Amino acid sequence: MHDDDFDDEEEAPDLDNYPTLVSVVRFNKLLPSISWFEEVGQPLTEESFVVARDYMNALGFPDAFVGEVEDWDDAAYAASNPDWNSDWWEAEEQLRMGLTTAALELISEEDLNAALTQISATASPVITTAVEAITDDHGIEDQELIRAAVGAALQTCHQAALVLAAGEEDTHPFAIKYKLFEQGHWPIAITGNSFNIF
């Protein structure tokens, strides 16, 4: 693994000094190969239910249940529902802050920011293209919904990269949630006790 895996060599971190960034670089290379949103609207597989349950348990919501979102209209409602579980949002935010702190104990702030910026630069066009293609196929013109889908996937890429940068295991809630995107679905939010997945 070399520094030139990053687009801007001047901003490339020294991977010899920061071994956890090797994992982030590898992760970055895999982003274009993910089946982004290709299974939305399809019934969840047994494997997806297991992953969803693992995420809810790991995050501290063992009483939540999976709510399958069947179509784009339901996805729009779930994504804009003002009754999102604030405890869920707070739990994710606390995890994000904890990972950032842990990563900065291993990596300089400048190099961490450079790595996360590269993740966004790689993921954004790939995810945007995928979402636009799928919504176009279904005649979806709701730009707010399209932005919400792209934003959710980008956020999860950022979260998963932080897991790697901090040297955490793949049992971390953010790593588990990313698996649902890998499977082609969109884990939207926990609303009340329902983990809505499209």
Side-chain angles (χ1 to χ4, degrees):
M1 203 60 56
H2 303 286
D3 292 357
D4 59 9
D5 290 322
F6 282 77
D7 290 341
D8 188 340
E9 291 186 6
E10 292 183 2
E11 293 185 359
D14 184 346
L15 298 180
D16 292 333
N17 290 336
Y18 304 126
T20 61
L21 280 185
V22 173
S23 297
V24 179
V25 171
R26 289 175 179 155
F27 175 68
N28 187 62
K29 286 185 167 184
L30 291 173
L31 291 173
S33 66
I34 300 301
S35 302
W36 298 106
F37 295 87
E38 288 187 5
E39 296 298 317
V40 293
Q42 299 300 314
L44 297 180
T45 63
E46 182 177 347
E47 181 183 3
S48 293
F49 272 105
V50 170
V51 173
R53 171 54 55 198
D54 288 345
Y55 168 76
M56 293 183 290
N57 288 341
L59 196 62
F61 293 84
D63 296 329
F65 60 91
V66 173
E68 289 191 77
V69 177
E70 296 183 356
D71 56 40
W72 284 99
D73 287 339
D74 288 346
Y77 176 76
S80 62
N81 192 326
D83 295 325
W84 276 13
N85 188 318
S86 59
D87 290 339
W88 162 75
W89 185 90
E90 183 64 28
E92 283 214 341
E93 182 62 13
Q94 291 294 325
L95 284 178
R96 185 193 65 79
M97 293 170 61
L99 285 173
T100 302
T101 299
L104 289 174
E105 292 177 356
L106 302 172
I107 305 165
S108 73
E109 184 173 5
E110 180 181 4
D111 285 333
L112 178 61
N113 287 338
L116 294 176
T117 298
Q118 186 63 34
I119 292 292
S120 296
T122 299
S124 183
V126 171
I127 292 169
T128 300
T129 298
V131 173
E132 288 179 346
I134 291 168
T135 52
D136 186 60
D137 286 345
H138 288 83
I140 305 300
E141 299 179 354
D142 185 341
Q143 293 302 310
E144 185 175 345
L145 175 59
I146 292 170
R147 285 193 298 270
V150 171
L154 285 175
Q155 180 188 46
T156 299
C157 289
H158 181 96
Q159 292 170 335
L162 277 176
V163 171
L164 296 170
E168 289 288 337
E169 301 295 327
D170 60 6
T171 52
H172 191 281
F174 289 164
I176 298 171
K177 185 172 73 168
Y178 179 78
K179 290 179 184 177
L180 290 168
F181 277 104
E182 280 188 312
Q183 294 171 354
H185 290 286
W186 175 12
I188 298 174
I190 295 180
T191 304
N193 280 332
S194 175
F195 182 24
N196 297 314
I197 303 176
F198 186 24

mmCIF file of all heavy atoms in Angstrom, residues 152-169:
data_model
loop_
_atom_site.group_PDB
_atom_site.id
_atom_site.type_symbol
_atom_site.label_atom_id
_atom_site.label_comp_id
_atom_site.label_asym_id
_atom_site.label_seq_id
_atom_site.Cartn_x
_atom_site.Cartn_y
_atom_site.Cartn_z
ATOM 1 N N ALA A 152 -27.228 9.773 3.197
ATOM 2 C CA ALA A 152 -27.185 8.666 4.155
ATOM 3 C C ALA A 152 -26.041 7.708 3.835
ATOM 4 O O ALA A 152 -25.322 7.240 4.733
ATOM 5 C CB ALA A 152 -28.513 7.915 4.147
ATOM 6 N N ALA A 153 -25.867 7.405 2.561
ATOM 7 C CA ALA A 153 -24.789 6.499 2.167
ATOM 8 C C ALA A 153 -23.420 7.120 2.405
ATOM 9 O O ALA A 153 -22.495 6.453 2.897
ATOM 10 C CB ALA A 153 -24.949 6.112 0.696
ATOM 11 N N LEU A 154 -23.280 8.406 2.087
ATOM 12 C CA LEU A 154 -22.003 9.088 2.323
ATOM 13 C C LEU A 154 -21.671 9.124 3.809
ATOM 14 O O LEU A 154 -20.523 8.925 4.211
ATOM 15 C CB LEU A 154 -22.055 10.502 1.756
ATOM 16 C CG LEU A 154 -21.967 10.636 0.232
ATOM 17 C CD1 LEU A 154 -22.167 12.086 -0.181
ATOM 18 C CD2 LEU A 154 -20.631 10.115 -0.278
ATOM 19 N N GLN A 155 -22.687 9.402 4.631
ATOM 20 C CA GLN A 155 -22.459 9.436 6.072
ATOM 21 C C GLN A 155 -21.985 8.078 6.586
ATOM 22 O O GLN A 155 -21.071 7.994 7.413
ATOM 23 C CB GLN A 155 -23.745 9.829 6.795
ATOM 24 C CG GLN A 155 -23.592 9.883 8.318
ATOM 25 C CD GLN A 155 -24.911 10.077 9.033
ATOM 26 O OE1 GLN A 155 -25.896 9.414 8.726
ATOM 27 N NE2 GLN A 155 -24.947 10.990 9.978
ATOM 28 N N THR A 156 -22.591 7.017 6.064
ATOM 29 C CA THR A 156 -22.208 5.683 6.513
ATOM 30 C C THR A 156 -20.794 5.325 6.050
ATOM 31 O O THR A 156 -20.055 4.651 6.778
ATOM 32 C CB THR A 156 -23.236 4.641 6.025
ATOM 33 O OG1 THR A 156 -24.513 4.972 6.575
ATOM 34 C CG2 THR A 156 -22.864 3.239 6.484
ATOM 35 N N CYS A 157 -20.402 5.782 4.876
ATOM 36 C CA CYS A 157 -19.013 5.585 4.436
ATOM 37 C C CYS A 157 -18.059 6.291 5.392
ATOM 38 O O CYS A 157 -17.009 5.739 5.771
ATOM 39 C CB CYS A 157 -18.817 6.132 3.027
ATOM 40 S SG CYS A 157 -19.619 5.175 1.723
ATOM 41 N N HIS A 158 -18.404 7.511 5.768
ATOM 42 C CA HIS A 158 -17.590 8.286 6.706
ATOM 43 C C HIS A 158 -17.483 7.556 8.044
ATOM 44 O O HIS A 158 -16.390 7.425 8.620
ATOM 45 C CB HIS A 158 -18.233 9.665 6.884
ATOM 46 C CG HIS A 158 -17.492 10.571 7.809
ATOM 47 N ND1 HIS A 158 -16.577 11.512 7.366
ATOM 48 C CD2 HIS A 158 -17.515 10.696 9.166
ATOM 49 C CE1 HIS A 158 -16.078 12.168 8.404
ATOM 50 N NE2 HIS A 158 -16.640 11.691 9.497
ATOM 51 N N GLN A 159 -18.622 7.062 8.522
ATOM 52 C CA GLN A 159 -18.641 6.342 9.799
ATOM 53 C C GLN A 159 -17.802 5.074 9.738
ATOM 54 O O GLN A 159 -17.028 4.772 10.656
ATOM 55 C CB GLN A 159 -20.082 5.997 10.176
ATOM 56 C CG GLN A 159 -20.944 7.202 10.525
ATOM 57 C CD GLN A 159 -22.414 6.835 10.664
ATOM 58 O OE1 GLN A 159 -22.883 5.844 10.092
ATOM 59 N NE2 GLN A 159 -23.152 7.629 11.420
ATOM 60 N N ALA A 160 -17.938 4.329 8.650
ATOM 61 C CA ALA A 160 -17.181 3.085 8.509
ATOM 62 C C ALA A 160 -15.680 3.358 8.408
ATOM 63 O O ALA A 160 -14.860 2.593 8.946
ATOM 64 C CB ALA A 160 -17.662 2.318 7.272
ATOM 65 N N ALA A 161 -15.320 4.452 7.739
ATOM 66 C CA ALA A 161 -13.905 4.815 7.646
ATOM 67 C C ALA A 161 -13.342 5.174 9.018
ATOM 68 O O ALA A 161 -12.192 4.850 9.331
ATOM 69 C CB ALA A 161 -13.724 5.981 6.679
ATOM 70 N N LEU A 162 -14.152 5.835 9.843
ATOM 71 C CA LEU A 162 -13.713 6.159 11.202
ATOM 72 C C LEU A 162 -13.480 4.889 12.022
ATOM 73 O O LEU A 162 -12.551 4.836 12.837
ATOM 74 C CB LEU A 162 -14.746 7.036 11.904
ATOM 75 C CG LEU A 162 -14.707 8.536 11.623
ATOM 76 C CD1 LEU A 162 -15.867 9.228 12.329
ATOM 77 C CD2 LEU A 162 -13.375 9.150 12.070
ATOM 78 N N VAL A 163 -14.330 3.893 11.817
ATOM 79 C CA VAL A 163 -14.141 2.610 12.510
ATOM 80 C C VAL A 163 -12.760 2.051 12.188
ATOM 81 O O VAL A 163 -12.017 1.613 13.081
ATOM 82 C CB VAL A 163 -15.239 1.602 12.101
ATOM 83 C CG1 VAL A 163 -14.922 0.201 12.639
ATOM 84 C CG2 VAL A 163 -16.599 2.055 12.614
ATOM 85 N N LEU A 164 -12.403 2.085 10.915
ATOM 86 C CA LEU A 164 -11.107 1.562 10.490
ATOM 87 C C LEU A 164 -9.967 2.427 11.007
ATOM 88 O O LEU A 164 -8.948 1.910 11.484
ATOM 89 C CB LEU A 164 -11.063 1.490 8.964
ATOM 90 C CG LEU A 164 -12.052 0.525 8.316
ATOM 91 C CD1 LEU A 164 -12.074 0.717 6.807
ATOM 92 C CD2 LEU A 164 -11.706 -0.919 8.671
ATOM 93 N N ALA A 165 -10.124 3.739 10.906
ATOM 94 C CA ALA A 165 -9.061 4.649 11.349
ATOM 95 C C ALA A 165 -8.787 4.511 12.841
ATOM 96 O O ALA A 165 -7.653 4.687 13.291
ATOM 97 C CB ALA A 165 -9.436 6.091 11.016
ATOM 98 N N ALA A 166 -9.827 4.199 13.600
ATOM 99 C CA ALA A 166 -9.675 4.045 15.042
ATOM 100 C C ALA A 166 -9.215 2.648 15.434
ATOM 101 O O ALA A 166 -8.985 2.370 16.617
ATOM 102 C CB ALA A 166 -11.007 4.359 15.738
ATOM 103 N N GLY A 167 -9.080 1.769 14.449
ATOM 104 C CA GLY A 167 -8.624 0.413 14.740
ATOM 105 C C GLY A 167 -9.668 -0.454 15.415
ATOM 106 O O GLY A 167 -9.336 -1.429 16.087
ATOM 107 N N GLU A 168 -10.949 -0.123 15.211
ATOM 108 C CA GLU A 168 -12.035 -0.891 15.828
ATOM 109 C C GLU A 168 -12.339 -2.152 15.015
ATOM 110 O O GLU A 168 -11.903 -2.292 13.868
ATOM 111 C CB GLU A 168 -13.283 -0.020 15.949
ATOM 112 C CG GLU A 168 -13.167 1.082 16.991
ATOM 113 C CD GLU A 168 -13.216 0.550 18.417
ATOM 114 O OE1 GLU A 168 -13.760 -0.562 18.627
ATOM 115 O OE2 GLU A 168 -12.709 1.245 19.317
ATOM 116 N N GLU A 169 -13.146 -3.026 15.610
ATOM 117 C CA GLU A 169 -13.473 -4.300 14.972
ATOM 118 C C GLU A 169 -14.695 -4.157 14.062
ATOM 119 O O GLU A 169 -15.425 -3.170 14.122
ATOM 120 C CB GLU A 169 -13.753 -5.356 16.054
ATOM 121 C CG GLU A 169 -12.594 -5.605 16.996
ATOM 122 C CD GLU A 169 -11.387 -6.207 16.297
ATOM 123 O OE1 GLU A 169 -11.584 -6.982 15.344
ATOM 124 O OE2 GLU A 169 -10.255 -5.886 16.703
#
